[in-house]
Amino acid sequence: MKAKKIIAVVLSAFMTLGLGACGQSGTSTSNKSASNSGSKSLVVWAWDGTFNVPAAKEAAAIYKKKHPEVKVKVVEMAQNDIVQKLNTNLSSNTTSGLPNIVLIEDYRAQNFLTSYSDWFQGVSSKVSKSNFMNYKIKPESYKGKLYGIPFDSGVAGLFYRTDLIEQAGYKTSDMQNITWDKFIEIGKAVKAKTGKEMLTLDPSDLGILRIMMQSAGEWYVKDDGKTVNLQNNEALKDGIKIYKEMIDAGIVKPVSNWDQFVSAFQKGDVASVPTGCWISSSITKAADQSKKWAIAPIPKLSTISASVNASSIGGAGWYVLKKVGNADAAADFLAETFGSNKELANTLADKIGLVSTLKSASTTSNYQKTVEFYNNQKTLQDFSNWTEQVPSVNYGLYTYNIEDILTSTVQSIVKKGANIDTALKDAQTQAEAAVAK
């Protein structure tokens, strides 16, 4: 849901035309003038002016104290503009207008690393993989080598209204480590006793299915990152069945965009929000609901033995474009900040609510704080603990390509009663044809 909102943001023509001035100049693949000039200027591209951009600026400020000769400029761009610019330049083998460092969403990372591996600077010699939560390593590695510095956790949580749950006859203890079947049971009681739906669903967004799949260690592709995995994907199949059961049970409030999604819980129209930790900043904006919320582990699939009460949705990492120039300086900057600095993570936990995937962050002071809005729950500590349990999967090259096909498949099952096995077999065929092009 958040990714779709971010992707929908479009920069003005002025900013688009000005990109050339933001990155290193030059059109050759080696960009010798930049790399040999002795320049200590680094440009970073990131999206989201309330989260990723201030994080990069804070890192730059900390780094400057120890390295005053290095100037780091952070440029905010919409994520789709970053993706388009990278694909255009990397495919044409030109450095013109590119940054030294770029933020890339985990779902897209393997596509870039596989297609343009010679463009990215490995960072395995700068940081240890063991510094980070395990599930972040696969998306940001290629052929066993780490290329991305893991950043934020997209760990999922079950945000819920304690008052509505209690009115339905349940307690906080009843919400811990539940299955999706139990979630539906509670949702029915909530609807019967309060008239409120349990959650929202957007038919164009399959985020909840991603959460369900990863909780069981499965994805739209197999572990090689390329082989389409729809037809015999039991976690996906069970997830779609649960999706349909929730709608049939009458516990779903339909929404069609981000604003409707946010409005539903801020106005008190739904009793829970099962999604990534990043939604917390939107939930806490409803000040009148303070002390009426809590967060539990995400539900798991009851029919898949491998499924756990932990999953993820979203998240990204920082990457160095080595052909642009100053690659070593860029890698050093990332290694000394996001790659190892737990005090930076501690500061960002307070400033932007960051749930870091740097393991040592969980020992810092802000992770031990209670949050009054959530009835004094240590939310950051809980999120960090759940992040450690997220199953590792290879998101592969085609997440969004496959979802373009699967979205209509899911609706044909949910709304039109299509046979799930037949529908997924057809989707498998379509997806294999699409990714083969």
Side-chain angles (χ1 to χ4, degrees):
M1 180 73 76
K2 185 178 184 185
K4 289 182 179 291
K5 179 203 177 195
I6 294 170
I7 294 171
V9 177
V10 181
L11 287 180
S12 66
F14 176 81
M15 177 62 83
T16 303
L17 292 172
L19 292 179
C22 297
Q24 298 286 350
S25 61
T27 56
S28 71
T29 58
S30 61
N31 197 11
K32 292 180 181 179
S33 61
S35 59
N36 294 334
S37 65
S39 171
K40 293 295 183 178
S41 177
L42 301 176
V43 175
V44 181
W45 280 1
W47 66 89
D48 195 341
T50 65
F51 193 80
N52 301 315
V53 171
K57 289 182 176 180
E58 184 67 27
I62 288 176
Y63 191 74
K64 187 177 181 178
K65 292 177 182 178
K66 191 175 180 180
H67 304 275
E69 76 284 2
V70 179
K71 295 181 179 179
V72 181
K73 181 179 181 180
V74 182
V75 178
E76 180 180 356
M77 296 178 62
Q79 187 185 172
N80 61 327
D81 289 340
I82 290 177
V83 171
Q84 182 179 15
K85 184 68 173 176
L86 287 179
N87 277 319
T88 298
N89 280 47
L90 273 54
S91 63
S92 62
N93 213 28
T94 177
T95 61
S96 180
L98 289 178
N100 307 91
I101 298 168
V102 62
L103 186 69
I104 299 178
E105 186 184 28
D106 289 344
Y107 295 144
R108 300 182 185 276
Q110 285 299 303
N111 197 310
F112 280 112
L113 292 175
T114 301
S115 302
Y116 313 109
S117 59
D118 60 330
W119 270 89
F120 293 93
Q121 174 89 349
V123 293
S124 293
S125 63
K126 301 286 186 180
V127 297
S128 172
K129 292 180 181 180
S130 62
N131 287 358
F132 309 100
M133 300 297 186
N134 185 57
Y135 90 96
K136 291 283 283 191
I137 301 304
K138 275 188 181 179
E140 300 180 17
S141 298
Y142 179 67
K143 292 186 176 179
K145 189 175 183 180
L146 188 66
Y147 282 84
I149 297 290
F151 178 43
D152 59 324
S153 170
V155 63
L158 176 56
F159 297 78
Y160 67 94
R161 285 281 297 271
T162 55
D163 56 335
L164 298 178
I165 295 299
E166 288 170 1
Q167 288 177 47
Y170 293 90
K171 303 184 295 294
T172 298
S173 58
D174 296 321
M175 302 299 291
Q176 305 303 310
N177 298 311
I178 64 175
T179 64
W180 285 104
D181 299 320
K182 184 69 173 181
F183 176 83
I184 294 173
E185 173 196 305
I186 296 171
K188 288 178 179 178
V190 168
K191 184 63 182 290
K193 296 293 179 64
T194 72
K196 307 285 188 181
E197 282 85 10
M198 190 65 171
L199 76 163
T200 62
L201 284 178
D202 181 343
S204 67
D205 189 301
L206 301 184
I208 199 162
L209 292 183
R210 283 185 239 143
I211 290 174
M212 293 176 182
M213 277 194 302
Q214 187 160 3
S215 79
E218 297 290 344
W219 202 247
Y220 298 131
V221 291
K222 293 187 177 180
D223 201 48
D224 62 7
K226 298 179 180 179
T227 305
V228 178
N229 181 33
L230 303 181
Q231 183 178 353
N232 298 312
N233 187 330
E234 293 302 320
L236 173 60
K237 188 181 297 185
D238 283 5
I240 295 173
K241 289 178 180 177
I242 289 166
Y243 190 109
K244 186 176 188 306
E245 286 174 15
M246 290 191 293
I247 292 176
D248 291 346
I251 65 171
V252 170
K253 181 178 178 63
V255 296
S256 59
N257 56 50
W258 175 267
D259 289 340
Q260 289 182 12
F261 164 60
V262 172
S263 177
F265 57 76
Q266 288 185 343
K267 290 182 178 180
D269 293 339
V270 292
S272 75
V273 186
T275 194
C277 57
W278 35 259
I279 201 60
S280 183
S281 60
S282 296
I283 290 176
T284 54
K285 284 181 180 178
D288 61 314
Q289 296 175 22
S290 181
K291 296 187 177 181
K292 295 181 180 180
W293 284 88
I295 314 170
I298 200 72
K300 67 178 182 179
L301 299 168
S302 61
T303 56
I304 307 291
S305 60
S307 183
V308 297
N309 290 105
S311 192
S312 178
I313 178 169
W318 304 98
Y319 294 79
V320 175
L321 296 176
K322 68 179 179 182
K323 293 186 180 183
V324 175
N326 289 329
D328 285 339
D332 285 340
F333 164 70
L334 291 179
E336 288 190 29
T337 55
F338 296 113
S340 60
N341 194 325
K342 68 178 183 180
E343 288 310 316
L344 169 61
N346 188 46
T347 298
L348 294 177
D350 179 55
K351 286 193 171 184
I352 62 172
L354 172 69
V355 179
S356 176
T357 53
L358 186 67
K359 289 179 180 178
S360 59
S362 65
T363 65
T364 61
S365 60
N366 284 326
Y367 278 73
Q368 315 310 316
K369 289 182 178 180
T370 59
V371 181
E372 183 179 6
F373 187 92
Y374 294 109
N375 286 290
N376 296 318
Q377 182 175 347
K378 292 184 178 180
T379 57
L380 285 175
Q381 188 66 67
D382 285 340
F383 280 135
S384 184
N385 291 339
W386 301 336
T387 299
E388 287 190 68
Q389 301 167 33
V390 175
S392 177
V393 299
N394 187 342
Y395 297 131
L397 282 65
Y398 315 117
T399 292
Y400 293 119
N401 305 69
I402 291 175
E403 282 200 350
D404 286 343
I405 294 167
L406 196 60
T407 298
S408 59
T409 299
V410 171
Q411 291 308 306
S412 73
I413 297 167
V414 172
K415 296 291 181 64
K416 299 178 181 179
N419 178 273
I420 191 169
D421 293 313
T422 302
L424 285 179
K425 180 179 180 180
D426 290 343
Q428 173 90 17
T429 301
Q430 292 179 55
E432 287 174 346
V435 301
K437 293 180 181 179

